[in-house]
Amino acid sequence: MSEKLKIILTEDGSHSLYNEDLKETYHSFHGALKESVHVFMLYGLDSWLMENPTKKPLRIFEVGFGTGLNAWLTLVWAEQNQIPVLYHTIEPFPLSEEIYSQLNYGDLDDGFFHYKPYLTRLHKMEWDKGAVVSEYFNMKKEKTTLEEVTLYPSDVVFFDAFAPSKQPELWEKQLLEKIYESMNQGGIFTTYCAQGKLKRDLKEIGFEVESLPGPPGKKEMTRGWKK
Ligand SMILES: C[S@@+](CC[C@H](N)C(=O)[O-])C[C@H]1O[C@@H](n2cnc3c(N)ncnc32)[C@H](O)[C@@H]1O
């Protein structure tokens, strides 16, 4: 995959990227911010918190750091809820400063203003090293692939790979199984994808699978629980 990337504006006013080689966007055209909030914050973090109403540290694994939107929204969530988060993310194709410095996420809501500088900090952080980013948010960003990475135990997994039609190898059952094995009991696997094969594979691996209402423009999404 080369880095032929263009910044695009999605329907909720938030930026995303278009990969010209894959002919694929990093988020939904119907709203990058809305999609991230819905799939990963609402059905990932908020659901975890409802099941675990304590202040114990939350371990998250993300497939595909990309624009950093999910990581940055999680930092905001961690600070607002005062829940310590250990965030592990991987990305084989980091963005250039020219691209990430233009992303408009920090300007989209008055409540984000205070957190705006953190998006750049997340991108500038050294690869392959854990670091304290803010009071409640620690992150390790590895420049590697899902195929290669060694996983830590996690409570919530943000599966945000490109669509199965564009990058089928990342949705292979054996990689999903690798994630399942690494997850803690009670863990949540959440993704925007609603494909039948994914749901069948997740069930066979051992997840309790739910089809949930999708973000704007999508009927459904998928969530798996490791019970
Ligand atoms: C749909 S985008 C989402 C990125 C990010 N979560 C965001 O909100 O911008 C998928 C990401 O997966 C990355 N990726 C590509 N191949 C990968 C691999 N083998 N392992 C992990 N991530 C990969 C891409 O470079 C891209 O950043």
Side-chain angles (χ1 to χ4, degrees):
M1 215 186 297
S2 80
E3 275 204 42
K4 280 199 186 157
L5 296 176
K6 264 194 348 212
I7 295 186
I8 58 165
L9 200 59
T10 66
E11 282 175 10
D12 65 3
S14 59
H15 280 150
S16 186
L17 300 177
Y18 179 70
N19 181 311
E20 290 179 346
D21 290 334
L22 280 184
K23 298 194 178 9
E24 177 75 332
T25 56
Y26 276 46
H27 307 94
S28 160
F29 279 121
H30 299 285
L33 178 69
K34 282 191 175 165
E35 179 183 51
S36 257
V37 167
H38 183 94
V39 177
F40 302 109
M41 304 304 120
L42 178 67
Y43 286 132
L45 304 188
D46 290 345
S47 301
W48 184 87
L49 192 53
M50 281 202 334
E51 293 292 316
N52 302 275
T54 62
K55 298 279 180 188
K56 74 172 184 186
L58 164 58
R59 292 162 195 274
I60 301 172
F61 172 61
E62 177 189 36
V63 177
F65 176 72
T67 60
L69 176 58
N70 293 335
W72 180 74
L73 284 173
T74 302
L75 181 151
V76 175
W77 183 93
E79 294 303 321
Q80 289 178 342
N81 288 287
Q82 302 188 339
I83 309 274
V85 167
L86 303 167
Y87 198 93
H88 180 208
T89 184
I90 54 171
E91 176 57 64
F93 306 107
L95 302 182
S96 64
E97 182 164 2
E98 193 201 339
I99 298 257
Y100 69 67
S101 62
Q102 293 184 60
L103 297 171
N104 68 355
Y105 305 134
D107 301 318
L108 296 172
D109 187 295
D110 286 347
F112 289 159
F113 181 75
H114 172 72
Y115 302 103
K116 187 176 166 176
Y118 287 103
L119 183 64
T120 306
R121 282 184 217 168
L122 296 179
H123 280 278
K124 287 202 161 158
M125 257 180 69
E126 214 177 314
W127 289 93
D128 307 323
K129 261 196 177 165
V132 178
V133 186
S134 61
E135 188 177 355
Y136 289 96
F137 190 82
N138 286 23
M139 181 164 99
K140 183 175 184 188
K141 194 174 66 162
E142 282 189 77
K143 193 174 168 192
T144 185
T145 62
L146 180 57
E147 296 88 329
E148 295 294 324
V149 69
T150 300
L151 295 174
Y152 306 109
S154 56
D155 301 302
V156 177
V157 173
F158 295 167
F159 201 83
D160 201 13
F162 286 125
S165 56
K166 304 291 177 174
Q167 228 186 343
E169 66 278 13
L170 284 194
W171 302 81
E172 289 288 331
K173 197 170 164 190
Q174 121 207 19
L175 285 182
L176 299 171
E177 211 154 14
K178 168 176 170 175
I179 292 176
Y180 180 82
E181 293 306 328
S182 74
M183 287 171 65
N184 293 326
Q185 286 306 124
I188 292 176
F189 172 103
T190 184
T191 179
Y192 65 86
C193 179
Q195 206 199 40
K197 179 180 182 304
L198 170 72
K199 288 189 244 179
R200 286 191 298 280
D201 284 348
L202 292 177
K203 266 185 205 149
E204 280 174 24
I205 288 166
F207 282 105
E208 205 167 277
V209 176
E210 293 173 297
S211 292
L212 297 165
K218 272 203 105 204
K219 203 167 143 232
E220 278 185 2
M221 56 164 275
T222 306
R223 180 167 69 184
W225 292 84
K226 180 167 176 174
K227 293 277 169 139

